[in-house]
């Protein structure tokens, strides 16, 4: 079953890049092959919602990180191979009959480009298979159980090929025409399917090795997934795109399943919420996460409302759009889906009274469920006070603003409690707008 | 002193731009000539600031609108004549003669068609001037406002000169001969050159006035009257000219109540009302007819609007800060003693509800002390209006209503006195049964 997520959430978390600083996908997209990029993209599009798949992938990546193995193939082989294997027109198949003086002459003068390309593809395939034999040898001794399945599949596929002749031919500077004819038939026709499957395995390997490396250089950690239960514990998480990000710890469980976040506009609320979203998203892909440690019960999906824009074309006001989105989330929750829901400033598109009432009503409803985790930010501290009285399972956290003289300074470090910090009015005052107007030549 | 309106104001009101979708310029741009179009554009770029200038132009356009006068000249005719007149290169009778003779010889030798083209230009110009001459002398007999009548009279004197009159007659009777071409070419380009250049400028003015006057007549626009008496702004039955079946509203501000505090839900039509009002005031300062039933005003030194400040919440802080800086700029201008119209839609919408509330109350309060300026300030935060209503004089409160029909919000677009007490937020949340769904009671 797929992990529930929608476009708005992916956009909020900047999972896929559209010009913005650096998307999460871009951060991992250091694969050596184009096929690897495609596999990586597919993984990003389908996080898991079951423990087995998450643990399996995370185990594989962790194994390759421990082995610290470089990608054992050369990137340029893959272009030659893909091009070679894509052409399955039987008329282009090399034939032993062509072994004439003319053919030899052509091959010496490099006049026959079609032939050259086929020969080039064959050489790349041989080199690839040779390297793959060596990889299997190296890995077979100490592979993690998580990778056994893949390894076994690779071994089965490799058995179809004749290792000794491949190793031997890979050492030769040039293959005679007869050998080329043999390999052409083998690779493009007889064992085409097997070779394609091997390529797919290698592209996955590319992703594992790349992600392991990125995880290591960025100091990401592997999350521990739990089956069932109500745990979400992330120690020292940080936003991967923020330089020298301040780490924060978020711990939630069944008796603390709602986090009410307050803080001034620039204090880092949105960044914290995005960080949480990205971390949980990556954890459900089985990828390393930007934190020092993480333990989580597997969820069915996640929804965030961090940058909800007015959908003018649909004619809905901002407020109505927000309500409809909350409704979608509510429907999943009503069906018993376990979700992470992150909402930045509920109902900002309306008057204070409605925002106050709406925040209380919806947050209280969230708190009454035991299916998932909810992070809600608000500027209406009065709503926070009421919620604190009514619900026992809400955790209150805030991001502080310290005043250094007239200038606000932000620590970006979560603290226990509620804050009334707002700096909007402070900017208005700092710019001296009211003072300008009061000192001008007004009447009355 | 020029009327002050910055780029954002022009953009908010969508005033300029020939090809811009639903710009006010494209609505009024029905001039015949390209020169007229350019003149219209320069009028858009330079609204007037004195009562006299405004009322003069307004009276002239009102005359053309009432009498439904159309310019008896086509764009092609006008282009041919202006091209010909601009080509004036001769200095005296000799060079003039040699110029025409050269063309004639060239044509006889079969090396060019210049002579025939010249002949056509001279004839066309004479006919054009003839048409213009009868048009203007007819206008002079009618009730044209005094200043413009003088301008027409001067042009008439030139057009009625004996030398040109002979030309009109000949140009109508038959093709002109060589000697006549030499004579009239010299007359048009050399002797009357300067007067005719002035005349062309007058034609462009006529073009704009006829075009705008006709649109005013078709659409039932009104002519605003400007006065210096009191600092007031009184607009009745105004609407946005690009909205079909637009609902008309009235707004009246003066020294005693110089702030209109507008509340209402997000889609209720606050922005459209403010845009329509901005457009009306801007057009009135151009001396142009306005999409309203009636309007009286004391001219402003300028206007600032902040209406379209993008709804893009992603911009976050920088957006809020940019907004603050603009308010600061307006504050400086207002404090410097200028008489401005200031239209702020959803001040500080880039920030949280509480800050928006505080900032709106504080800034509005401070602005309202400037009695010579007029302000329209809107917010969806009705609480801001309520607190101002209790504490301040000099405010008018109005709102755009919302009512619920089948659980969906509907709008009347008709301005009501008071502050909106629409509390549809919770109604919508309840209608959508969010709480019940979350609790698993409903799916």
């Amino acid at each position: 079953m797929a992990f529930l997520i929608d476009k708005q959430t992916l956009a909020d978390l900047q999972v896929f890049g559209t010009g913005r600083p650096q998307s999460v996908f871009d951060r991992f997209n250091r694969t050596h092959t184009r096929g690897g990029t495609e596999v990586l993209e597919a993984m990003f599009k389908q996080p898991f919602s079951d423990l087995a798949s998450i643990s399996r992938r995370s185990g594989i990546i962790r194994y390759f990180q421990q082995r610290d193995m470089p990608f054992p193939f050369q990137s340029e082989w893959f272009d030659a191979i893909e091009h070679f294997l894509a052409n399955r027109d039987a008329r282009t198949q090399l034939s032993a009959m062509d072994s004439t003086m003319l053919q030899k002459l052509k091959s010496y003068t490099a006049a026959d480009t079609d032939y050259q390309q086929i020969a080039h593809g064959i050489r790349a395939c041989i080199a690839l298979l040779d390297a793959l034999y060596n990889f299997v040898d190296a890995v077979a001794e100490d592979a993690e159980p998580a990778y056994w399945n893949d390894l076994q599949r690779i071994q089965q596929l490799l058995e179809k090929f004749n290792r000794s002749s491949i190793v031997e031919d890979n050492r030769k500077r040039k293959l005679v025409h007869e050998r080329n004819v043999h390999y052409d038939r083998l690779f493009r026709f007889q064992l085409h399917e097997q070779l394609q499957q091997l390529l797919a395995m290698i592209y996955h390997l590319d992703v594992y090795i790349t992600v392991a490396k990125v995880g290591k250089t960025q100091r990401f950690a592997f999350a521990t997934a739990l089956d069932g239960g109500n745990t979400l514990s992330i120690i020292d998480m940080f936003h991967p795109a923020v330089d020298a990000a301040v780490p924060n710890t978020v711990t939630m469980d069944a008796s603390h399943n709602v986090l009410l976040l307050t803080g001034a506009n620039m204090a880092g609320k949105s960044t914290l919420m995005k960080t949480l979203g990205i971390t949980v998203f990556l954890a459900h892909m089985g990828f390393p996460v930007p934190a020092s440690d993480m333990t989580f019960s597997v969820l069915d999906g996640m929804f965030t409302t961090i940058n909800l824009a007015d959908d003018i074309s649909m004619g809905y006001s901002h407020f109505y759009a927000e309500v409809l989105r909350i409704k979608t989330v509510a429907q999943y929750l009503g069906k018993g889906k376990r979700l992470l829901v992150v909402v930045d400033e509920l109902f900002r598109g309306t008057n204070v009274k409605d925002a106050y009432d709406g925040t209380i009503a919806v947050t209280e409803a969230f708190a009454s469920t035991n299916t998932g985790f909810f992070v809600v930010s608000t500027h209406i501290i009065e709503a926070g006070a009421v919620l604190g009285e009514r619900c026992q399972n809400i955790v209150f956290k805030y991001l502080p603003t310290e005043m250094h003289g007239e200038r606000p300074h932000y620590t970006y470090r979560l603290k226990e409690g509620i804050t009334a910090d707002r700096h909007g009015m402070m900017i208005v005052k700092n710019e001296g707008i009211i003072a300008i107007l009061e000192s001008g030549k007004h009447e009355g | 002193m020029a009327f002050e309106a910055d780029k954002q104001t022009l953009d908010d009101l969508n005033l300029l731009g020939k090809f811009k979708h639903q710009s006010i310029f494209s609505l009024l741009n029905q001039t015949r000539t390209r020169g007229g179009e350019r003149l219209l554009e320069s009028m858009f770029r330079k609204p007037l600031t004195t009562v006299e200038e405004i009322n003069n132009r307004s009276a002239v356009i009102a005359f053309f609108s009432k009498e439904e006068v159309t310019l008896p000249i086509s764009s092609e005719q006008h282009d041919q004549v202006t091209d010909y007149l601009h080509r004036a290169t001769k200095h005296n009778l000799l060079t003039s003669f040699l110029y025409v003779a050269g063309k004639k010889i060239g044509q006889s030798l079969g090396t060019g068609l210049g002579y025939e083209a010249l002949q056509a230009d001279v004839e066309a110009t004479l006919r054009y001037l003839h048409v213009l001459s009868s048009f203007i002398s007819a206008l002079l007999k009618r009730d044209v406002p005094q200043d413009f009548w003088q301008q027409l009279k001067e042009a008439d004197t030139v057009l009625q000169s004996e030398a040109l009159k002979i030309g009109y007659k000949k140009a109508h009777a038959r093709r002109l001969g060589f000697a006549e071409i030499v004579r009239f070419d010299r007359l048009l380009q050399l002797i009357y050159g300067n007067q005719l250049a002035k005349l062309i400028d007058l034609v462009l003015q006529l073009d704009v006035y006829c075009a705008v006057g006709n649109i005013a007549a078709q659409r039932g626009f009104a002519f605003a009257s400007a006065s210096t008496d009191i600092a007031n702004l009184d607009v009745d039955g105004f609407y946005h000219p690009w909205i079909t079946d637009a609902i008309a509203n009235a707004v009246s501000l003066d020294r005693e109540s110089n702030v209109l505090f507008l509340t209402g839900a997000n889609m209720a039509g606050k922005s459209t009302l403010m845009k329509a009002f901005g457009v009306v005031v801007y057009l009135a300062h151009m001396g142009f007819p306005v999409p309203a039933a009636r309007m009286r005003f004391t001219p402003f030194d300028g206007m600032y609007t902040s209406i379209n400040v993008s709804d893009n919440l992603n911009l976050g802080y920088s957006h809020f800060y940019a907004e603050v800086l603009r308010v600061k700029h307006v504050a400086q201008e207002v404090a410097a003693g200028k008489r401005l119209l200031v239209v702020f839609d959803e001040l500080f919408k880039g920030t949280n509800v509480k800050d928006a509330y505080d900032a709106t109350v504080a800034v509005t309060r401070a602005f309202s002390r400037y009695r010579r300026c007029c302000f329209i300030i809107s917010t969806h935060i009705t609480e801001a209006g309520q607190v101002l209503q209790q504490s301040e004089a000099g405010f008018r409160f109005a709102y755009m209503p919302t009512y619920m029909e089948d659980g969906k919000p509907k709008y009347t677009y008709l301005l009501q006195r008071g502050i909106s007490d629409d509390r549809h937020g919770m109604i919508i949340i309840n209608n959508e049964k969010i709480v019940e769904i979350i609790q698993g009671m409903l799916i």
Side-chain angles (χ1 to χ4, degrees):
Chain A
M1 196 181 46
F3 188 76
L4 293 166
I5 196 159
D6 65 352
K7 240 174 147 176
Q8 164 79 40
T9 306
L10 294 173
D12 279 348
L13 304 182
Q14 288 168 37
V15 169
F16 294 103
T18 41
R20 296 278 251 148
Q22 214 188 11
S23 69
V24 184
F25 176 76
D26 278 351
R27 189 156 294 274
F28 283 102
N29 187 16
R30 303 273 182 277
T31 55
H32 307 83
T33 63
R34 251 180 300 172
T37 301
E38 279 166 27
V39 170
L40 185 69
E41 198 179 332
M43 287 178 180
F44 266 93
K45 283 186 173 157
Q46 270 201 326
F48 298 122
S49 60
D50 64 292
L51 179 69
S53 311
I54 293 173
S55 305
R56 193 181 140 268
R57 189 184 286 157
S58 123
I60 295 174
I61 297 172
R62 195 198 299 253
Y63 165 67
F64 282 108
Q65 194 176 79
Q66 280 157 4
R67 280 214 57 143
D68 197 14
M69 175 188 264
F71 187 58
F73 312 99
Q74 289 173 25
S75 304
E76 58 268 23
W77 293 345
F78 294 91
D79 288 335
I81 294 172
E82 289 283 3
H83 185 79
F84 168 60
L85 292 183
N87 182 5
R88 302 207 63 208
D89 190 340
R91 287 168 297 183
T92 63
Q93 191 181 342
L94 298 186
S95 148
M97 297 300 174
D98 291 337
S99 181
T100 57
M101 281 306 288
L102 186 64
Q103 182 65 49
K104 275 202 179 114
L105 191 67
K106 269 189 182 170
S107 76
Y108 275 118
T109 56
D112 190 347
T113 53
D114 287 348
Y115 184 84
Q116 291 292 326
Q117 273 182 0
I118 289 170
H120 194 53
I122 290 169
R123 290 227 59 114
C125 283
I126 291 171
L128 181 86
L129 289 169
D130 192 6
L132 194 56
Y133 281 119
N134 292 333
F135 165 77
V136 169
D137 287 349
V139 169
E141 299 159 16
D142 63 352
E144 280 285 311
Y147 198 57
W148 284 351
N149 256 337
D150 285 19
L151 193 61
Q152 212 177 4
R153 182 86 195 108
I154 294 175
Q155 282 168 327
Q156 278 169 6
L157 289 163
L158 279 177
E159 276 167 20
K160 309 273 183 196
F161 299 91
N162 181 342
R163 181 169 186 173
S164 58
S165 68
I166 281 177
V167 171
E168 191 188 323
D169 283 333
N170 193 31
R171 287 207 198 92
K172 289 182 186 154
R173 269 191 55 242
K174 197 163 166 42
L175 294 182
V176 294
H177 183 66
E178 287 72 19
R179 290 305 286 163
N180 272 340
V181 172
H182 164 72
Y183 280 125
D184 187 33
R185 191 177 64 241
L186 194 70
F187 292 155
R188 279 208 292 162
F189 301 93
Q190 281 178 349
L191 295 177
H192 182 264
E193 186 52 38
Q194 284 81 351
L195 209 48
Q196 290 285 18
Q197 286 178 22
L198 278 175
L199 277 175
M201 306 296 288
I202 290 172
Y203 293 149
H204 276 82
L205 181 68
D206 184 10
V207 170
Y208 299 143
I209 288 176
T210 306
V211 171
K213 185 129 196 268
V214 172
K216 191 169 195 173
T217 51
Q218 311 257 348
R219 299 173 190 284
F220 286 12
F222 287 93
T224 311
L226 305 174
D227 198 9
N230 261 312
T231 303
L232 179 63
S233 164
I234 310 171
I235 314 294
D236 289 345
M237 62 171 188
F238 55 91
H239 196 290
V242 175
D243 289 332
V246 176
N248 275 299
T249 296
V250 170
T251 321
M252 298 173 89
D253 56 41
S255 54
H256 303 96
N257 67 332
V258 177
L259 192 155
L260 196 89
L261 190 61
T262 45
N265 269 8
M266 289 298 286
K269 287 199 308 293
S270 301
T271 306
L272 184 92
M273 294 174 127
K274 284 178 194 170
T275 309
L276 177 69
I278 291 170
T279 307
V280 171
F281 181 83
L282 288 173
H284 283 83
M285 290 174 65
F287 274 34
V289 296
S292 66
D293 191 26
M294 173 171 179
T295 312
F296 69 108
S297 306
V298 177
L299 297 168
D300 294 319
M302 68 188 277
F303 290 89
T304 68
T305 301
I306 300 178
N307 289 326
L308 190 68
D310 276 7
D311 197 337
I312 291 161
S313 57
M314 285 172 75
Y316 292 133
S317 69
H318 178 77
F319 175 73
Y320 199 49
E322 207 170 349
V323 170
L324 288 186
R325 190 164 154 79
I326 298 285
K327 187 180 179 181
T328 313
V329 172
Q331 283 164 338
Y332 283 120
L333 290 170
K335 285 183 207 155
K337 295 286 182 201
R338 295 164 36 75
L339 305 176
L340 169 66
V341 180
V342 178
V343 191
D344 191 11
E345 226 187 303
L346 258 171
F347 308 129
R348 72 201 294 181
T350 183
N351 57 72
V352 183
K353 186 77 175 67
D354 276 341
Y356 168 83
D357 289 342
T359 304
I360 292 178
V362 172
T363 312
E364 207 179 350
F366 282 157
S368 73
T369 68
N370 50 5
T371 61
F373 303 107
F374 307 91
V375 178
V376 177
S377 83
T378 183
H379 278 101
I380 308 172
I381 47 165
E382 293 84 354
V386 171
L387 286 165
E389 282 167 26
R390 291 195 199 166
C391 311
Q392 299 308 310
N393 48 346
I394 299 182
V395 188
F396 295 91
K397 298 264 189 186
Y398 73 98
L399 284 159
T401 308
E402 291 171 0
M403 292 308 292
H404 292 181
E406 282 286 280
R407 297 197 167 276
H409 173 78
Y410 309 104
T411 64
Y412 305 113
R413 205 174 288 279
L414 269 181
K415 279 193 161 175
E416 204 77 31
I418 289 188
T419 179
D421 291 345
R422 290 177 285 121
H423 80 165
M425 264 314 279
M426 209 151 55
I427 293 177
V428 173
K429 281 188 191 131
N430 281 350
E431 292 298 331
I433 292 177
I434 309 292
I436 291 169
L437 288 171
E438 271 166 6
S439 61
K441 295 170 264 173
H442 59 80
E443 321 153 36
Chain B
M1 197 179 50
F3 186 82
E4 226 177 280
D6 65 354
K7 182 167 185 310
Q8 189 183 329
T9 305
L10 300 178
D11 287 346
D12 279 350
L13 303 180
N14 200 0
L15 287 165
L16 302 176
K18 183 179 177 183
F19 300 108
K20 214 151 119 222
H21 182 59
Q22 298 198 335
S23 75
I24 304 300
F25 178 78
S26 69
L27 182 86
L28 296 178
N29 182 21
Q30 291 187 13
T31 53
R32 296 224 163 155
T33 65
R34 272 176 299 165
E37 185 179 300
R38 276 196 295 274
L39 180 64
L40 180 67
E41 202 189 327
S42 75
M43 288 176 179
F44 263 91
R45 289 195 184 277
K46 263 217 264 183
L48 310 168
T49 43
T50 70
V51 169
E52 199 189 0
E53 288 172 316
I54 292 171
N55 283 341
N56 280 349
R57 192 189 281 164
S58 167
V60 174
I61 299 176
F63 164 79
F64 283 97
S65 176
K66 198 176 90 210
E67 307 274 325
E68 294 186 29
V69 181
T70 46
L71 193 68
I73 286 162
S74 76
S75 168
E76 293 77 24
Q77 286 170 329
H78 182 79
D79 284 349
Q80 187 178 14
V81 172
T82 41
D83 279 355
Y84 166 67
L85 291 178
H86 280 152
R87 251 185 283 133
T89 49
K90 291 136 276 187
H91 305 290
N92 54 42
L93 181 58
L94 182 66
T95 49
S96 186
F97 171 79
L98 289 175
Y99 174 76
V100 181
K103 296 230 172 219
K104 172 94 179 155
I105 293 164
Q107 178 138 340
S108 327
L109 293 173
T111 55
L113 293 169
Y115 179 73
E116 232 166 58
L118 181 68
Q119 188 180 31
D121 281 346
V122 172
E123 286 166 4
T125 304
L126 287 168
R127 281 198 295 271
Y128 170 94
L129 293 175
H130 189 201
V131 170
L132 208 57
S133 161
S134 6
F135 177 65
I136 288 176
S137 44
L139 281 180
L140 286 172
K141 293 193 191 90
R142 288 152 88 177
D143 201 10
V144 182
Q146 187 56 36
D147 281 8
F148 196 61
W149 191 89
Q150 283 300 340
Q151 248 183 296
L152 291 175
K153 185 69 200 162
E154 276 172 42
D156 189 57
T157 318
V158 177
L159 288 167
Q160 297 290 337
S161 67
E162 283 309 314
L164 284 173
K165 271 179 160 173
I166 296 167
Y168 304 155
K169 223 178 268 169
K170 296 212 161 160
H172 277 289
R174 54 187 166 78
R175 301 230 68 174
L176 298 177
F178 177 73
E180 283 161 339
I181 297 284
V182 175
R183 175 176 161 200
F184 290 119
D185 179 56
R186 176 168 163 268
L187 189 71
L188 293 171
Q189 294 206 336
L190 206 60
I191 299 172
Y192 283 103
N194 289 335
Q195 281 103 316
L196 291 182
K198 259 175 93 181
L199 188 79
I200 294 291
D201 287 343
L202 180 68
V203 172
L204 300 184
Q205 282 185 51
L206 283 167
D207 186 12
V208 170
Y209 296 153
C210 287
V212 175
N214 279 324
I215 292 165
Q218 283 159 25
R219 294 186 166 250
F221 283 9
F223 288 87
S225 78
S227 66
T228 41
D229 319 342
I230 36 159
N232 74 337
L233 176 59
D234 186 3
V235 191
D236 200 5
F238 72 91
Y239 54 92
H240 198 288
W242 273 114
I243 294 179
T244 39
D245 302 325
I247 308 269
N249 278 299
V251 166
S252 171
L253 293 169
D254 53 37
R255 217 170 245 283
E256 272 61 53
S257 20
N258 64 332
V259 181
L260 178 74
F261 199 83
L262 191 60
T263 46
N266 277 335
M267 298 294 290
K270 294 194 302 290
S271 304
T272 306
L273 181 94
M274 296 175 121
K275 279 182 201 168
F277 192 74
V279 167
V280 166
V281 172
Y282 195 91
L283 287 175
H285 281 83
M286 291 168 61
F288 272 35
V290 293
R294 215 163 37 80
M295 173 168 182
R296 289 184 305 136
F297 72 109
T298 308
F300 288 94
D301 298 325
M303 70 192 276
Y304 283 91
T305 68
S306 188
I307 300 178
N308 279 340
V309 179
S310 95
D311 288 340
N312 192 345
L313 298 172
N314 296 350
L315 299 175
Y317 168 79
S318 54
H319 168 73
F320 177 74
Y321 193 58
E323 211 168 344
V324 170
L325 289 184
R326 186 144 195 275
V327 173
K328 183 180 178 180
H329 174 70
V330 174
Q332 284 162 339
E333 296 291 282
V334 166
K338 291 197 174 143
R339 172 168 153 80
L340 299 178
L341 170 66
V342 178
V343 179
F344 283 151
D345 187 18
E346 294 282 356
L347 258 180
F348 310 118
K349 78 154 70 161
T351 183
N352 61 76
V353 180
K354 290 281 252 181
D355 273 339
Y357 165 85
D358 287 344
T360 304
V361 171
V363 169
T364 309
R365 209 173 250 165
F367 270 132
S368 70
R369 309 271 193 269
Y370 291 82
R371 298 292 185 183
R372 293 180 66 239
C373 297
C374 290
F375 303 91
I376 299 188
I377 289 170
S378 87
T379 180
H380 66 268
I381 304 169
T382 51
E383 288 84 352
Q386 280 151 4
V387 70
L388 289 169
Q389 197 171 33
Q390 283 159 15
S391 64
E392 299 295 314
F395 280 60
R396 278 183 205 279
F397 294 90
Y399 70 98
M400 297 298 265
T402 311
Y403 61 97
M404 299 299 285
E405 197 178 283
D406 302 329
K408 294 237 165 135
K410 299 262 175 183
Y411 312 100
T412 64
Y413 306 112
L414 196 58
L415 209 53
Q416 301 282 313
R417 199 176 271 272
I419 294 173
S420 161
D421 55 356
D422 298 333
R423 281 275 178 272
H424 300 300
M426 273 315 283
I427 297 177
I428 293 173
I429 292 175
N430 290 335
N431 280 339
E432 299 290 339
K433 305 222 182 312
I434 305 270
V435 174
E436 290 85 346
I437 294 170
I438 294 175
Q439 290 172 338
M441 294 189 246
L442 278 173
I443 287 178

